[in-house]
Amino acid sequence: QVQLMESGGGLVQAGGSLRLSCAASGVIFSSNTMAWYLQAPGKQRELVAAMTSGGIPNYADSVKGRFTISRDSAKNTVYLQMNTLKPEDTAVYYCNIEFAGYGGVWYDYWGQGTQVTVSS
């Protein structure tokens, strides 16, 4: 079983910054992808940014140039630096880790979510 512990959400004014952190613990295969998703009220969960254990990032178009994902693979921790925040970034942000285990079984785990609210 894998647990994800998120921190760093909160209330910030438009144009401000926040940094989210997520630490994963448990049995985790070294080749994995850690990611951040957001879910706004009444909408589906969507990818914000992801990074493989090899350090390859992927961003949603809406956050390119404003958000930066990074990770410490030795600590199974992923970060999301969010700059120039906009009211439309307001959502619950979820941390995710996924990897293929023995026999190709796919594992996918989620954190409990952290609220980010950007006021105009």
Side-chain angles (χ1 to χ4, degrees):
Q1 187 69 16
V2 173
Q3 293 186 331
L4 298 171
M5 183 65 67
E6 299 143 336
S7 61
L11 173 64
V12 65
Q13 288 188 331
S17 298
L18 283 175
R19 188 185 192 222
L20 305 183
S21 299
C22 172
S25 60
V27 178
I28 300 167
F29 281 64
S30 59
S31 179
N32 59 72
T33 297
M34 297 189 78
W36 290 97
Y37 287 74
L38 66 81
Q39 188 165 20
K43 296 187 177 181
Q44 290 189 331
R45 195 171 296 187
E46 59 187 62
L47 177 70
V48 177
M51 181 170 275
T52 66
S53 47
I56 300 174
N58 180 38
Y59 295 97
D61 288 342
S62 60
V63 306
K64 285 180 179 177
R66 299 190 298 123
F67 292 8
T68 302
I69 190 169
S70 60
R71 60 181 291 172
D72 182 338
S73 290
K75 297 181 179 179
N76 289 317
T77 300
V78 65
Y79 307 95
L80 186 68
Q81 178 65 44
M82 305 186 292
N83 297 329
T84 320
L85 281 160
K86 304 176 182 180
E88 51 264 43
D89 295 321
T90 296
V92 178
Y93 284 70
Y94 295 90
C95 179
N96 171 269
I97 186 170
E98 57 181 28
F99 53 88
Y102 294 118
V105 176
W106 195 255
Y107 294 90
D108 185 20
Y109 298 96
W110 294 90
Q112 80 284 358
T114 185
Q115 176 71 44
V116 171
T117 302
V118 184
S119 63
S120 57

